[in-house]
Amino acid sequence: METDGVAAEGTPAENGQEGRQALPEAPAVAREIFGERFPVAQRYTELLATAGVQRGLIGPREVPRLWDRHVLNCAVLAELLPAGASLCDIGSGAGLPGIPVAMARPDVSVTLLEPLLRRTTFLEEVVRELGLANVTVLRGRAEEMVGKLSVDIVTARAVAPMDRLAGWGLPLLRPYGQMLALKGDTAEQELTDSRSALTKLGAVKWSVISVGEGTLETSTRVVRVEAGESPGGVKAATRRAKAARAGRSGKAGEGSRGAGRRRR
């Protein structure tokens, strides 16, 4: 799994008091992006700089640039989201980009999907402390959620190369949904290398776009992949249909057992 400066693990020395970097003051643009939720964003950034570092979710050297490189870099993704959208942030880690997006867009329903227990524990604590009513934390892998979770938008940051990422993310989309992957300088090359895989996975259009231009010093580069009628391709469609049948059978069985109890 890629990390893009967000530490997957850290040594005790890195995660403790030794060498701790000071969190800089929030840039003025943070108030513009988060509006009335700026204090919430400020608290989240403090949590990343303290508990996030202590638990090995953020590299200690990233603390001085948490605002610019991480929180604001992710929050501008909100520019691309339609009103009232549902979103799943796969491999959410420390909550990037899902939590900044949720703070910037309280109208968007965000699911943070993360397989590791220590990370979901951190995410649950953060969501609870920040009072983010539009955020749900879900433990699991994307491939396990096909047929169980269906959203308008899938996001990811520093998770995997595009071909693998698309294989995990596109099957979770509703028809004509979008995957938005933060990719930085590798965006064009990754997109070129994954075109064949994207076609097989039901994508109909893809491009590299920049968000935050005129707002951030360095804009955020995003690979946008638009799905067609069958996101994820034939295999995903088969798995969704199987999950739907199992769901209907389960409900029918529950109804039958309930009826039996009533007859007695």
Side-chain angles (χ1 to χ4, degrees):
M1 182 178 285
E2 300 171 5
T3 59
D4 192 29
V6 179
E9 300 288 347
T11 65
E14 287 176 326
N15 294 337
Q17 297 291 334
E18 184 179 342
R20 176 175 291 179
Q21 301 283 336
L23 178 65
E25 186 177 346
V29 70
R31 296 180 182 273
E32 299 176 22
I33 291 173
F34 292 109
E36 64 181 18
R37 279 194 162 186
F38 169 71
V40 180
Q42 196 166 32
R43 180 57 183 149
Y44 172 58
T45 309
E46 291 169 356
L47 290 170
L48 290 179
T50 52
V53 171
Q54 292 160 11
R55 300 190 192 187
L57 302 180
I58 295 289
R61 293 184 182 88
E62 295 302 307
V63 172
R65 50 188 181 179
L66 273 176
W67 277 109
D68 294 329
R69 184 173 177 180
H70 299 288
V71 177
L72 297 178
N73 177 268
C74 292
V76 293
L77 201 62
E79 297 176 16
L80 303 177
L81 307 182
S86 58
L87 180 151
C88 178
D89 184 30
I90 64 175
S92 193
L96 300 164
I99 289 180
V101 168
M103 293 187 297
R105 288 288 302 275
D107 64 301
V108 172
S109 174
V110 174
T111 297
L112 307 177
L113 180 61
E114 169 56 51
L116 297 183
L117 176 59
R118 67 186 181 87
R119 294 179 181 173
T120 55
T121 299
F122 172 80
L123 292 172
E124 287 168 349
E125 291 172 0
V126 169
V127 168
R128 184 165 56 248
E129 177 165 340
L130 300 182
L132 297 176
N134 61 324
V135 178
T136 300
V137 178
L138 185 60
R139 186 182 175 198
R141 300 183 182 278
E143 55 267 40
E144 300 168 346
M145 298 297 158
V146 181
K148 303 175 184 177
L149 182 65
S150 182
V151 295
D152 303 312
I153 307 287
V154 164
T155 59
R157 179 179 189 254
V159 171
M162 271 305 301
D163 54 351
R164 272 194 286 151
L165 182 59
W168 298 334
L170 288 177
L172 301 182
L173 290 174
R174 293 173 180 155
Y176 311 106
Q178 298 181 56
M179 184 173 73
L180 303 172
L182 283 69
K183 282 294 179 181
D185 294 337
T186 66
E188 283 85 357
Q189 188 58 53
E190 287 200 44
L191 196 51
T192 298
D193 294 344
S194 61
R195 288 178 183 237
S196 176
L198 291 175
T199 300
K200 291 177 182 177
L201 288 165
V204 295
K205 188 177 178 182
W206 46 81
S207 58
V208 177
I209 58 178
S210 293
V211 290
E213 291 183 333
T215 302
L216 304 181
E217 273 189 36
T218 303
S219 60
T220 300
R221 295 174 63 72
V222 179
V223 173
R224 176 161 61 185
V225 179
E226 300 176 45
E229 188 175 352
S230 184
V234 176
K235 287 184 179 179
T238 302
R239 290 177 66 183
R240 284 193 291 266
K242 184 177 180 180
R245 288 195 297 272
R248 287 195 294 269
S249 298
K251 289 180 181 178
E254 289 173 6
S256 298
R257 289 192 295 273
R261 284 193 296 270
R262 285 193 295 271
R263 282 195 296 273
R264 288 196 296 274

